[in-house]
Amino acid sequence: MVVMKFGGTSVGTAQAMRQVIAIIGEKRKSGAPLVVLSACSGVTNKLIHIADQAGAGHIEEALRLAGEVRAFHLDLIGELIASEELKAEVIEKIGVYLTRLERLTEGIGIVGELTERSRDRFCSFGELLSTTVFAAALKEQGVRCEWIDVRQVMITDDRYGFARPLAETCRKNTGEIIRPLLDAGNVVVTQGYIGATGSGRTTTLGRGGSDLSAALLGAWLHSESIEIWTDVDGVMTCDPRMVPEARSIRVMTFSEAAELAYLGAKVLHPDTIAPAVEKNIPVYVLNTWHPESKGTLITNDPELLAGKSHGGLVKSIAVKKGQAILNIRSNRMFGRHGFMSELFEVFERFAVSVEMISTSEVSVSLTVDDATVSEPFIQALRSLGEVDIEHKVATVSVVGDNLRMSRGVAGRIFSSLRNVNLRMISQGASEINVGVVVDEGDVAAAVAALHCEFFAESQCAGIFEKPAGS
Ligand code: ADP
Ligand code: ASP
Ligand code: MG
């Protein structure tokens, strides 16, 4: 059996949902899949906005936005479902969620205070609504399907906004709740991104977390493969929104995919790969709009990786914007021990996570998410040495397993970037990435230069594919 996850744009309109139903129809011929869905595109952002408005006491505005969420889903139902009986049933079901959303909005609005816990509650409605509408649309097409509230299965810790599952409980629940429905030949439809604590409080796994839900469920079910269906032809040599000539990567290793995701490629949630690696389950990244194209296979299978299609020195380029560089300089570092542990204690205390790091005898440069830099944090760092900060920078990283063994790559990277002002340089300890930090305004030039250097037409034949439809 296969786990199929469809992202927001894949279920964002009635037309998209019809396309997904057709894809599932094909898949069903070889066994009923577990279908994991995101919220319809834009809905999670809107729910966050509603939560913020309610938290600020702007009840009217928050309710107006909640009304838009209601109208959007009712329109979808109107377009997708003809049967009056089914329509009445699904309108009643989504009505329950929408009323809860409105009550929550009023409640938070009156208190005028939003906690992470209530924010997760707001966010959870997106996936609950999309899956409810989608399951009804599947039934309308005569497909035997069961809708499951994933909060019965995905039991997590209580780190709201970033919850992680309690694996053993979840594995057991998956076996008891989802497995029998699949074995009986039902397509099972459930939500990505959300879960619940042991005491039933709704949690979320973090933005983009539906990929992770699918990978976890796939691992617990020992599925044959995990399919991530999205709006591009698989993992590409760069974000195609940034480089229109970006090509699709046919095959890549788990470590390449994980590294790329951590370094900013939004196509996969960074934690998606770990559950697949654990059970050695292949992950496919596929395009809902071109289901016939091959997309990307992520695997460690040596046979599949042996072919020409796994070549290429650099696999892909990832970009992470919204970063800051912190330069900390102190003579106390020179020849002494203990400085780094004092430094990291400050990061620990302020819960700031370090992305890139580069050190010399008397200074350390680190990149962090710009949003996590606060005045008290900087003050605490100043007690260790001189600190200067550069805001609005981005990391640009090249990733590929073959970087490890190849000579001359660094030379090619830096000579292609000769016209770009590099603020910091770092080679990842995994040795499969090299990253540079540039001003956000220089990202386009840096990425274009690197893409041209490593993915010129002559180097791509047989390894990378032009996306379908280009
Ligand atoms: P979904 O809603 O299906 O989860 P996302 O928007 O989260 O989709 O991820 C898909 C998007 O990721 C693409 O539209 C693309 O702009 C972006 N992206 C960033 N880096 C890459 C890359 N290397 N390959 C493919 N897509 C990428
Ligand atoms: N709906 C959630 C988000 O927009 C989760 C996801 O799409 O993966 O972040
Ligand atoms: Mg996503």
Side-chain angles (χ1 to χ4, degrees):
M1 91 19 86
V2 171
V3 176
M4 307 172 85
K5 175 262 170 177
F6 294 89
T9 46
S10 302
V11 290
T13 60
Q15 192 201 355
M17 284 203 181
R18 279 194 208 101
Q19 173 79 358
V20 172
I21 291 172
I23 293 171
I24 292 172
E26 271 304 303
K27 184 67 63 179
R28 234 177 104 226
K29 294 178 187 160
S30 49
L34 169 64
V35 176
V36 177
L37 301 185
S38 289
C40 304
S41 68
V43 171
T44 308
N45 284 348
K46 191 164 271 183
L47 291 166
I48 292 175
H49 198 40
I50 296 172
D52 288 336
Q53 290 295 323
H58 304 149
I59 303 182
E60 299 236 320
E61 175 61 4
L63 285 175
R64 189 187 65 75
L65 292 166
E68 287 182 8
V69 173
R70 180 183 284 273
F72 174 83
H73 289 92
L74 286 175
D75 282 353
L76 266 186
I77 293 170
E79 282 188 66
L80 284 165
I81 296 161
S83 141
E84 286 306 324
E85 198 185 329
L86 208 51
K87 201 185 263 183
E89 198 182 301
V90 67
I91 288 177
E92 193 187 322
K93 282 186 189 157
I94 70 160
V96 173
Y97 293 128
L98 292 161
T99 307
R100 279 186 206 156
L101 169 63
E102 284 155 4
R103 290 219 180 111
L104 180 67
T105 304
E106 281 165 348
I108 296 294
I110 290 165
V111 181
E113 193 187 317
L114 179 71
T115 59
E116 285 306 304
R117 190 167 108 189
S118 17
R119 187 188 289 280
D120 272 4
R121 187 91 183 90
F122 276 100
C123 289
S124 68
F125 288 109
E127 272 68 11
L128 291 166
L129 290 165
S130 67
T131 51
T132 305
V133 175
F134 184 79
L138 260 185
K139 274 196 191 135
E140 164 106 346
Q141 297 304 314
V143 178
R144 253 179 69 188
C145 99
E146 289 286 341
W147 177 93
I148 291 284
D149 185 335
V150 84
R151 292 173 298 180
Q152 295 171 268
V153 175
M154 186 70 75
I155 305 303
T156 70
D157 58 27
D158 62 359
R159 284 184 288 167
Y160 297 99
F162 184 72
R164 285 295 173 268
L166 309 176
E168 281 322 307
T169 313
C170 295
R171 199 186 309 277
K172 183 168 162 284
N173 293 346
T174 312
E176 285 173 6
I177 299 170
I178 297 182
R179 168 67 73 196
L181 297 172
L182 291 168
D183 287 348
N186 298 287
V187 173
V188 175
V189 176
T190 198
Q191 307 78 40
Y193 177 55
I194 69 172
T197 63
S199 56
R201 305 254 183 229
T202 300
T203 54
T204 71
L205 309 183
R207 294 305 305 270
S210 296
D211 300 335
L212 172 59
S213 307
L216 289 165
L217 290 161
W220 296 327
L221 285 163
H222 292 273
S223 69
E224 278 157 47
S225 64
I226 297 160
E227 298 182 352
I228 307 290
W229 291 82
T230 182
D231 60 352
V232 285
D233 271 357
V235 183
M236 304 182 79
T237 50
C238 187
D239 186 342
R241 287 179 212 210
M242 219 170 266
V243 178
E245 312 82 62
R247 288 158 180 267
S248 303
I249 301 168
R250 283 203 202 149
V251 191
M252 64 198 308
T253 61
F254 285 125
S255 52
E256 285 173 328
E259 199 89 356
L260 200 59
Y262 282 114
L263 292 166
K266 192 191 167 207
V267 64
L268 280 179
H269 183 283
D271 294 344
T272 311
I273 299 303
V277 176
E278 198 193 307
K279 292 279 175 314
N280 201 18
I281 302 173
V283 177
Y284 290 86
V285 182
L286 298 156
N287 189 342
T288 300
W289 300 104
H290 300 131
E292 69 295 340
S293 67
K294 292 195 184 91
T296 302
L297 164 62
I298 304 168
T299 178
N300 276 352
D301 182 330
E303 260 176 50
L304 294 169
L305 290 166
K308 197 176 173 220
S309 58
H310 177 57
L313 185 54
V314 170
K315 267 296 158 57
S316 189
I317 301 166
V319 175
K320 207 183 252 187
K321 291 189 179 171
Q323 306 287 294
I325 302 181
L326 303 174
N327 296 306
I328 299 119
R329 165 179 275 281
S330 168
N331 292 336
R332 282 172 50 210
M333 274 179 82
F334 188 70
R336 304 236 196 108
H337 58 83
F339 182 85
M340 285 295 184
S341 91
E342 284 177 50
L343 180 69
F344 285 124
E345 186 279 320
V346 177
F347 281 79
E348 161 84 35
R349 187 153 30 104
F350 286 86
V352 175
S353 112
V354 175
E355 309 257 337
M356 257 184 206
I357 179 160
S358 144
T359 66
S360 77
E361 288 293 351
V362 291
S363 72
V364 188
S365 297
L366 312 110
T367 62
V368 298
D369 182 341
D370 216 347
T372 60
V373 178
S374 64
E375 201 39 49
F377 168 60
I378 298 299
Q379 285 310 333
L381 288 178
R382 291 217 159 102
S383 68
L384 298 175
E386 277 170 47
V387 180
D388 60 69
I389 315 162
E390 298 174 49
H391 294 286
K392 290 198 179 211
V393 297
T395 56
V396 178
S397 312
V398 297
V399 176
D401 270 356
N402 292 343
L403 286 178
R404 198 181 277 140
M405 288 97 76
S406 309
R407 287 190 191 169
V409 193
R412 285 179 64 187
I413 293 174
F414 297 121
S415 74
S416 69
L417 292 174
R418 62 191 164 276
N419 294 324
V420 181
N421 185 6
L422 305 183
R423 321 303 302 240
M424 192 176 146
I425 297 166
S426 145
Q427 175 169 29
S430 62
E431 292 180 62
I432 68 165
N433 81 69
V434 177
V436 296
V437 184
V438 300
D439 284 339
E440 279 189 352
D442 290 336
V443 166
V447 169
L450 287 169
H451 202 271
C452 182
E453 174 68 30
F454 291 104
F455 303 109
E457 189 79 32
S458 58
Q459 304 175 40
C460 291
I463 303 169
F464 303 102
E465 285 197 351
K466 288 194 173 161
S470 69

